[in-house]
Amino acid sequence: MNSNNEVKRMKEFDRLVEIIKVLRSENGCPWDREQTLESLKPCLREEVAELLEAMEGDVEEHKGELGDVLMNLVFQADIREQEGKFNIEDVAHEINEKLIRRHPHVFKERNSEISTKEVLTNWDEIKKGEKLHENRKSAIDGVPKYLPALSKAQKIQKKASKVGFDWENAEQVLEKVYEELDELKVEIERADREKMKDELGDVLFSIVNIARFLDIDATEALEGTIKKFDKRFRYVEKNCEIEKTSLEDLEKLWQNAKKVIDL
């Protein structure tokens, strides 16, 4: 180690690993002993959601939420260690080797002139040759099934685009959205619920495609709109009794909210 701070960081991490082992030991906590990889999934989803929110706010809260996610990862590694599969040191070794392998311009050739685009191209090529990915047959293999739908759609579209399956410009994508909306309108008129759901999915997928084409994260865009709606609705709610207010007056309040609220 190069400094006392680095030694301290390693000691604190080792301490976390030991605490998890104690909690899951025979004389530890019954709840911790009962946990499985499956039972930890909802915990991890919640912790990641809380971490994403904390990244936008207080530094201390961010630090705390990072700790919660780190604890979950160490917890999973301890379960695997008890199964005789691997331990947390193996996890660290795996990611260390991957980072070095996928950054030859830093750890081998020392090419400081390389562009971000070249880095990403090299990353994908190196990734294809790794044992973990050797069984992937389709260009769209490797998209995590537990990704939220918006993110999954955008990732699949991005992978397809890399092999040339894409539109030429944003106008073409927008035309596809209009086409899908027309098809949805037809099914709404027919009142076929299953077909309406199918066509609505096509509309959403096409809209995500626009986001990808414009290099906009679809989830971030939707989150921004949700925040706007939240603030505007609360303004309307504060200035009237919604249940007793006409749609015309509600619309006036809504338009006023757009003017007076700092979004």
Side-chain angles (χ1 to χ4, degrees):
M1 292 300 172
N2 297 323
S3 71
N4 290 332
N5 285 337
E6 289 177 334
V7 172
K8 181 180 179 182
R9 282 198 294 268
M10 290 306 300
K11 283 184 177 179
E12 288 297 337
F13 182 78
D14 290 343
R15 184 179 173 215
L16 171 61
V17 174
E18 187 58 33
I19 287 172
I20 296 298
K21 290 184 180 299
V22 171
L23 288 173
R24 287 181 41 76
S25 69
E26 185 177 343
N27 297 319
C29 172
W31 184 90
D32 289 283
R33 284 199 305 272
E34 291 170 3
Q35 298 315 299
T36 64
L37 294 177
E38 194 64 32
S39 71
L40 288 177
K41 285 181 181 179
C43 299
L44 181 58
R45 290 192 193 100
E46 183 176 337
E47 297 298 356
V48 170
E50 291 175 355
L51 173 59
L52 290 171
E53 184 174 350
M55 289 168 68
E56 301 175 358
D58 181 74
V59 172
E60 286 300 312
E61 186 177 352
H62 185 195
K63 179 173 66 176
E65 296 300 341
L66 276 171
D68 290 343
V69 171
L70 180 59
M71 182 275 293
N72 192 291
L73 303 183
V74 173
F75 205 119
Q76 291 183 46
D78 189 72
I79 291 175
R80 286 304 196 190
E81 184 174 4
Q82 288 190 343
E83 295 173 347
K85 305 295 185 182
F86 59 76
N87 59 31
I88 193 64
E89 287 77 17
D90 297 324
V91 174
H93 176 77
E94 188 80 14
I95 188 59
N96 288 341
E97 292 299 311
K98 182 188 291 184
L99 288 171
I100 293 170
R101 184 170 62 250
R102 294 190 185 177
H103 292 84
H105 56 287
V106 176
F107 297 103
K108 288 185 179 179
E109 293 92 347
R110 299 284 181 179
N111 182 5
S112 60
E113 302 299 320
I114 191 170
S115 68
T116 299
K117 184 177 181 180
E118 290 173 311
V119 168
L120 294 176
T121 299
N122 291 344
W123 179 283
D124 286 339
E125 286 302 312
I126 294 169
K127 188 175 180 179
K128 288 178 184 177
E130 292 174 347
K131 184 177 180 181
L132 187 63
H133 305 291
E134 62 185 7
N135 292 325
R136 294 182 180 178
K137 306 300 181 183
S138 170
I140 59 174
D141 279 347
V143 178
K145 67 178 182 178
Y146 290 113
L147 269 181
L150 281 180
S151 298
K152 185 185 292 185
Q154 200 154 2
K155 196 168 185 66
I156 285 176
Q157 292 167 0
K158 187 176 181 180
K159 281 177 170 285
S161 174
K162 286 182 178 180
V163 293
F165 192 84
D166 205 355
W167 302 97
E168 294 179 357
N169 53 61
E171 286 72 23
Q172 292 177 332
V173 188
L174 198 56
E175 283 298 319
K176 184 63 176 177
V177 173
Y178 294 145
E179 177 187 322
E180 298 295 355
L181 282 169
D182 287 340
E183 292 177 5
L184 174 60
K185 183 179 178 181
V186 170
E187 298 307 335
I188 290 174
E189 291 171 351
R190 292 174 177 170
D192 187 320
R193 187 167 184 81
E194 283 304 309
K195 289 185 178 179
M196 281 191 287
K197 183 172 70 172
D198 186 57
E199 293 299 340
L200 180 59
D202 290 346
V203 170
L204 293 171
F205 193 82
S206 298
I207 289 175
V208 170
N209 221 350
I210 292 180
R212 178 193 59 82
F213 211 91
L214 299 177
D215 196 25
I216 295 172
D217 186 276
T219 299
E220 288 183 7
L222 182 57
E223 286 287 355
T225 296
I226 291 170
K227 288 179 182 178
K228 286 193 296 186
F229 179 88
D230 182 278
K231 290 180 180 180
R232 292 171 183 173
F233 181 84
R234 291 177 189 275
Y235 173 89
V236 173
E237 197 174 37
K238 185 178 179 180
N239 286 277
C240 75
E241 292 184 65
I242 293 180
E243 300 90 341
K244 299 178 181 179
T245 305
S246 69
L247 287 176
E248 182 180 356
D249 288 337
L250 286 174
E251 177 62 21
K252 289 178 181 178
L253 282 168
W254 185 263
Q255 293 301 322
N256 197 47
K258 293 166 69 173
K259 296 175 183 178
V260 303
I261 295 176
D262 180 13
L263 299 175

